[in-house]
Amino acid sequence: MKKIFVLSALQLVLMAVGLQAQTIIPNPQSQSDMENKTEDVKVSDLQFISANDPSFASDIKVFSEFMSKMGYPAIAQKESATHAIHLIKDASLRDEEYRMQCKANQVVEIRGGKDGVFYGLMSMLQLIEEGQRQVGLSVPQLHDFPAYSWRGMHLDVSRHFFPKEFVMKYIDILALHKMNTFHWHLTDVQGWRIEIKKYPKLTEIGSKRKESIVEKNFDPYIGDGVPVEGFYTQDDIKEIVLYAQARHVQVVPEIEMPGHAQAALSAYPEYSCAKNMMEPLTKWGVSNDVYCTDDATFRFLEDILDEVMALFPSNYIHIGGDEVPKDRWKVCPVCQQTMKTHHLKDENELQSYFIKHIDAYVTSKGRNIIGWDEILEGGLAPNAAVMSWRGEEGGIIAAKQQHKVVMTPGDYCYFDHYQGNKNAEPLAIGGFTPIQQVYSYQPTPAVLNAEEKKYILGAQANVWTEYIATTDHVEYMAVPRLCALAEVLWLGDSKPGWIDFKNRLRVHFSFLDQCKVHYANSIFDVTTVRNIVEGKVELTLESVYENGQIQYQMPDVDQAQLLLYKKGRPLVFKRSGKLRAQYYEGTKELGHLLEEEILVHKALGKNISSTIEPSSYYNEGGLPKLADSKAGHAPRLSSDWLGWSGKNPAITIDLGDASKLNNLDIYTLKEESNWIYLPQQITVSLSTDGINYIALKTLSAKEIEDAYGVDNKLSVSLANTKARYVKLALTCAPKIEKDKPGAGEDAWVFLSELAVN
Ligand code: ACM
Ligand code: ZN
């Protein structure tokens, strides 16, 4: 009791004199009890830095460079008894552990292991920035260390090329948040970006593509006519690796094989199965052209890996392994012979054979491979680590087989997904991964036992750049979600929770501003909660931060009329229309403008059944979603839609009472690049008793195509017929045609709302 009282009293005093707790991200593991703090050092009083060991020279240099990038006066390096940060090597602490303590004579001691002192300095940078705004801010007493050893960020430089200087800035952003791994995706179908001396055509040819597809214009294809080229010389790479090392970041290079290889094969088609001429792809997606499995190709890849391993000192070399179409292998005499010779029963085993060969080679050089979870298919190579991206399943299987795992499941770790109001976010590949979701991530699956859990090294986020062409946009996608992931990985089970984090993040934005990071402000976006109440839609507006206000505009009112939202009070929609809402602090708009369509109709909240359930992949919210007042968005957000494939559903809406029906709006999606097709046929039938149906109309593929509009809507007249039940029998498109994305697979039908009026 006494202790708590002492603490609170001290906190009250601190509050009274205007002092607040520091807001470091990731939050330090522990702050020593305040009563143990015998000395008080003010952040603003620190003028000097010194060290007990010459090995800290690099850390001090990097710290000074950060100070200068942030526009702060240099902290002089000087042996000084007062007003100093003193760095101490402490062999009793683990590599990444540090302690920060206030000592007599206005000295702050940071003692730590090999990396820990640097992390102490990174905390100090955030304190110094905060000290600029909070006069009299005291240095806290910290004991800090990470929960996970792999705290990573990935960057795809193949789809778009980013200059060396930006790669360094990206590494800075990692280091400032105590992330320690930069996964550099250097090669893919659309560009090869690393100089290989033995094979100069890899960059002469493979680093250049004619143009890029415009947005999502796959079919018909529209290109922008703007060439994309660029690569990193070996000198650039050496410089970047050293730069990262100085920031305690390991660089893990990724050289994709056996798929995602078209840029390499454009330069050296002799290592493909078909030996055909090709060019780096100008649109997004995988290519059927993969490496052949003959000896010459293995020699080629080993030569490349030799140069890669000479450049990158990391233990792990990422060899890709994801998304390997087997089409070429199936018809290649050489690959079929490889399968016979090695008694491989199918092409999955051939893929596994391929990876095992590379695994043995890399292992013979004293390194380890890591690959995407497809490397599990056909059997895992003996020394391989697995990067689990298609959910956590692959990681769980690998850990149970005693292989090391890095988690990077799409739902939490794909930072190419949308993060805020989709009407206002820049075009993205799809998905919705807001920062709250990132923060909720727990990298260690509960299904693993204690022994298996040890194989989870940590996690990383991936920034694929198909739709990200500029460095500012990379920063926007990466930050602040990176801040959340950094805390997930630093603290593991002891993270203090979303409310605590978001409040610190609010302060941390000033630090990011000072570091000139172009972060996304999507966290400020207004969100809505909808309820269907007696055929009407009630919307409650919410914002993550509550210091400001929400202004909103109802449909059908004077465009200039903005109303102040009263927290918690629902807005009632009796008719369809668009709501606009914006979060403000003072006169400053923060976040994006929300624009949301609300559909009010007779089927709202009514019972819906289907002969075939939606696929488990696209069934979030289940069938009630088809009458929840929300039309789905394109570009597709999977959570907006229900999806069927391979089977034809008949969906019935029970309106509860019979009434005259005018119209049915079917919200469906045509996004053939993502395998989503319009239905081939729709038959609409009506009934008053749910037994006897009268077929009102059958729409052909052509009629559906003609009636389908820009708002993903297809209107069918119900001819003022009295009915209680409305039934739609849908025929899905057949298997996808040759040469289209997903060729040979079942097409999908997507629905988001069935609006009956
Ligand atoms: C991946 O996203 N294809 C690893
Ligand atoms: Zn082949």
Side-chain angles (χ1 to χ4, degrees):
M1 276 310 284
K2 183 163 178 288
K3 189 169 168 188
I4 291 167
F5 172 75
V6 171
L7 260 177
S8 337
L10 187 52
Q11 278 169 345
L12 284 173
V13 171
L14 288 175
M15 279 159 63
V17 294
L19 297 180
Q20 292 168 15
Q22 46 70 31
T23 59
I24 296 167
I25 291 179
N27 201 43
Q29 288 280 0
S30 84
Q31 297 195 38
S32 315
D33 288 347
M34 296 295 270
E35 72 260 43
N36 293 338
K37 189 172 163 182
T38 51
E39 304 290 340
D40 185 37
V41 181
K42 304 276 183 263
V43 172
S44 53
D45 284 345
L46 295 168
Q47 295 166 27
F48 306 108
I49 187 163
S50 63
N52 80 337
D53 192 297
S55 67
F56 290 125
S58 162
D59 290 346
I60 291 175
K61 180 163 171 281
V62 171
F63 176 75
S64 304
E65 283 170 18
F66 274 128
M67 288 289 285
S68 137
K69 282 178 195 169
M70 293 172 72
Y72 297 147
I75 290 199
Q77 200 174 338
K78 184 176 156 191
E79 291 303 323
S80 166
T82 66
H83 302 285
I85 303 168
H86 193 47
L87 309 183
I88 298 171
K89 193 163 235 174
D90 188 335
S92 74
L93 298 177
R94 286 162 292 174
D95 283 354
E96 295 195 298
E97 185 177 5
Y98 72 93
R99 286 178 184 277
M100 184 182 286
Q101 278 175 315
C102 297
K103 297 281 169 178
N105 300 322
Q106 296 290 298
V107 165
V108 173
E109 211 176 77
I110 300 176
R111 49 175 66 238
K114 157 171 101 53
D115 312 289
V117 165
F118 179 77
Y119 296 142
L121 286 172
M122 294 303 97
S123 294
M124 184 55 83
L125 277 177
Q126 294 191 29
L127 291 169
I128 288 171
E129 190 279 329
E130 205 172 348
Q132 302 285 311
R133 288 172 292 109
Q134 263 195 59
V135 179
L137 181 75
S138 295
V139 175
Q141 307 235 103
L142 306 177
H143 177 206
D144 207 7
F145 50 88
Y148 289 99
S149 65
W150 187 296
R151 304 183 301 279
M153 284 296 294
H154 148 292
L155 180 64
D156 167 12
V157 296
S158 169
R159 277 51 179 267
H160 283 98
F161 175 76
F162 306 101
K164 177 179 80 177
E165 293 71 24
F166 176 72
V167 175
M168 292 173 166
K169 182 177 184 189
Y170 196 72
I171 291 166
D172 278 354
I173 298 170
L174 268 69
L176 288 166
H177 296 87
K178 307 185 180 85
M179 305 283 270
N180 67 356
T181 301
F182 171 47
H183 170 173
W184 202 1
H185 186 81
L186 284 160
T187 74
D188 215 304
V189 169
Q190 296 86 359
W192 181 281
R193 309 270 175 233
I194 170 173
E195 178 189 26
I196 299 295
K197 303 265 192 208
K198 188 157 182 181
Y199 299 105
K201 284 191 287 183
L202 282 172
T203 43
E204 280 165 25
I205 294 171
S207 75
K208 298 174 184 167
R209 72 167 180 264
K210 281 203 300 267
E211 62 174 8
S212 309
I213 186 173
V214 174
E215 299 192 335
K216 297 190 179 183
N217 294 287
F218 288 91
D219 189 18
Y221 170 83
I222 303 173
D224 65 5
V226 182
V228 172
E229 64 176 279
F231 66 92
Y232 308 94
T233 65
Q234 295 207 349
D235 283 343
D236 290 339
I237 288 170
K238 286 177 196 157
E239 198 181 335
I240 287 170
V241 167
L242 286 175
Y243 188 88
Q245 266 173 357
R247 285 150 186 78
H248 299 256
V249 171
Q250 65 161 339
V251 186
V252 174
E254 181 180 355
I255 307 295
E256 277 268 23
M257 62 187 80
H260 288 267
Q262 186 166 324
L265 294 173
S266 304
Y268 295 96
E270 58 267 45
Y271 303 119
S272 67
C273 289
K275 321 240 179 282
N276 47 323
M277 295 302 289
M278 56 192 112
E279 292 181 348
L281 210 63
T282 63
K283 59 185 180 182
W284 319 126
V286 298
S287 155
N288 280 341
D289 284 295
V290 301
Y291 290 117
C292 192
T293 58
D294 57 348
D295 289 345
T297 305
F298 281 123
R299 292 300 88 73
F300 169 71
L301 292 170
E302 288 161 8
D303 289 342
I304 291 171
L305 288 170
D306 283 345
E307 292 194 31
V308 167
M309 285 186 278
L311 289 168
F312 294 92
S314 61
N315 173 41
Y316 286 107
I317 304 295
H318 202 302
I319 50 79
D322 57 325
E323 300 176 314
V324 188
K326 310 295 189 300
D327 311 52
R328 297 285 189 260
W329 286 352
K330 282 184 179 153
V331 295
C332 171
V334 174
C335 290
Q336 290 302 310
Q337 187 54 51
T338 310
M339 287 169 61
K340 275 207 194 90
T341 308
H342 298 278
H343 311 292
L344 307 172
K345 75 170 191 295
D346 59 19
E347 284 73 20
N348 276 339
E349 290 198 358
L350 182 59
Q351 153 141 348
S352 170
Y353 164 83
F354 187 107
I355 302 291
K356 281 176 180 156
H357 180 102
I358 297 295
D359 178 51
Y361 187 75
V362 171
T363 303
S364 78
K365 305 287 171 185
R367 310 289 187 93
N368 282 102
I369 64 161
I370 183 165
W372 301 109
D373 56 56
E374 285 93 331
I375 68 171
L376 282 153
E377 291 162 9
L380 196 49
N383 304 302
V386 170
M387 198 166 260
S388 190
W389 71 281
R390 296 175 302 174
E392 292 189 320
E393 203 50 43
I396 291 168
I397 294 168
K400 285 180 181 292
Q401 295 177 20
Q402 305 184 331
H403 284 254
K404 301 272 175 57
V405 171
V406 175
M407 289 295 191
T408 179
D411 286 348
Y412 299 92
C413 294
Y414 268 46
F415 289 2
D416 54 343
H417 290 173
Y418 290 99
Q419 57 186 318
N421 288 339
K422 48 230 167 199
N423 60 282
E425 288 283 343
L427 181 69
I429 196 158
F432 182 55
T433 305
I435 185 169
Q436 291 92 324
Q437 187 151 315
V438 177
Y439 192 78
S440 74
Y441 188 49
Q442 293 181 305
T444 305
V447 297
L448 297 179
N449 67 31
E451 193 48 42
E452 292 158 352
K453 283 179 177 165
K454 292 182 187 153
Y455 289 92
I456 310 296
L457 298 177
Q460 71 175 35
N462 298 333
V463 182
W464 302 102
T465 58
E466 287 94 336
Y467 298 93
I468 307 175
T470 67
T471 59
D472 281 4
H473 193 180
V474 172
E475 293 176 37
Y476 179 97
M477 299 306 273
V479 192
R481 288 185 284 195
L482 173 154
C483 307
L485 184 65
E487 187 150 311
V488 162
L489 292 166
W490 189 264
L491 291 171
D493 288 339
S494 50
K495 68 185 175 199
W498 167 249
I499 306 267
D500 188 281
F501 171 76
K502 62 122 178 172
N503 288 334
R504 271 178 294 117
L505 183 65
R506 189 74 176 81
V507 179
H508 190 70
F509 284 133
S510 302
F511 176 74
L512 295 173
D513 285 333
Q514 200 71 35
C515 298
K516 301 172 190 74
V517 177
H518 303 97
Y519 55 86
N521 57 6
S522 315
I523 192 172
F524 294 104
D525 292 2
V526 175
T527 54
T528 57
V529 177
R530 296 188 193 207
N531 277 310
I532 312 289
V533 182
E534 292 166 1
K536 297 186 287 288
V537 182
E538 295 192 353
L539 266 99
T540 315
L541 307 188
E542 294 182 351
S543 57
V544 164
Y545 296 107
E546 295 183 346
N547 333 34
Q549 317 94 36
I550 297 171
Q551 292 190 332
Y552 70 97
Q553 190 182 55
M554 294 293 274
D556 310 327
V557 294
D558 178 355
Q559 292 298 302
Q561 197 182 349
L562 287 172
L563 303 168
L564 198 59
Y565 180 70
K566 196 153 175 276
K567 189 169 148 38
R569 201 175 77 192
L571 306 175
V572 181
F573 281 73
K574 295 178 186 159
R575 281 193 308 276
S576 297
K578 187 185 272 183
L579 170 81
R580 293 185 173 78
Q582 174 77 54
Y583 178 73
Y584 282 83
E585 287 183 5
T587 55
K588 199 168 170 213
E589 285 179 12
L590 292 168
H592 305 107
L593 173 70
L594 169 78
E595 293 187 275
E596 202 163 290
E597 281 290 340
I598 292 100
L599 300 173
V600 182
H601 57 89
K602 286 185 170 164
L604 283 183
K606 296 291 159 62
N607 192 36
I608 299 187
S609 58
S610 175
T611 53
I612 311 279
E613 282 295 306
S615 151
S616 60
Y617 294 117
Y618 302 104
N619 194 16
E620 208 179 308
L623 291 166
K625 185 173 222 136
L626 297 179
D628 68 353
S629 80
K630 251 182 173 165
H633 282 257
R636 177 173 60 86
L637 272 178
S638 51
S639 60
D640 281 356
W641 300 88
L642 301 184
W644 287 262
S645 88
K647 290 186 181 135
N648 298 322
I651 299 165
T652 305
I653 307 165
D654 176 1
L655 297 170
D657 300 305
S659 64
K660 289 203 166 168
L661 306 180
N662 282 318
N663 190 70
L664 168 67
D665 286 336
I666 304 168
Y667 288 82
T668 183
L669 191 60
K670 179 180 175 181
E671 209 175 88
E672 296 182 359
S673 61
N674 282 322
W675 313 9
I676 303 162
Y677 284 68
L678 292 176
Q680 285 294 97
Q681 184 176 299
I682 302 174
T683 300
V684 179
S685 316
L686 300 177
S687 167
T688 48
D689 59 7
I691 300 162
N692 301 300
Y693 280 87
I694 297 168
L696 190 72
K697 190 166 278 179
T698 294
L699 298 175
S700 68
K702 167 100 179 45
E703 285 167 314
I704 293 169
E705 184 79 44
D706 289 347
Y708 182 66
V710 280
D711 44 1
N712 313 312
K713 188 170 73 176
L714 184 58
S715 282
V716 183
S717 167
L718 300 181
N720 216 19
T721 316
K722 188 167 180 187
R724 171 174 165 180
Y725 298 89
V726 181
K727 180 149 77 182
L728 283 87
L730 301 174
T731 309
C732 295
K735 291 210 186 296
I736 298 170
E737 286 169 33
K738 203 162 156 280
D739 298 328
K740 303 256 177 174
E745 303 285 339
D746 287 323
W748 287 85
V749 163
F750 271 34
L751 295 176
S752 67
E753 190 82 356
L754 299 173
V756 182
N757 278 304

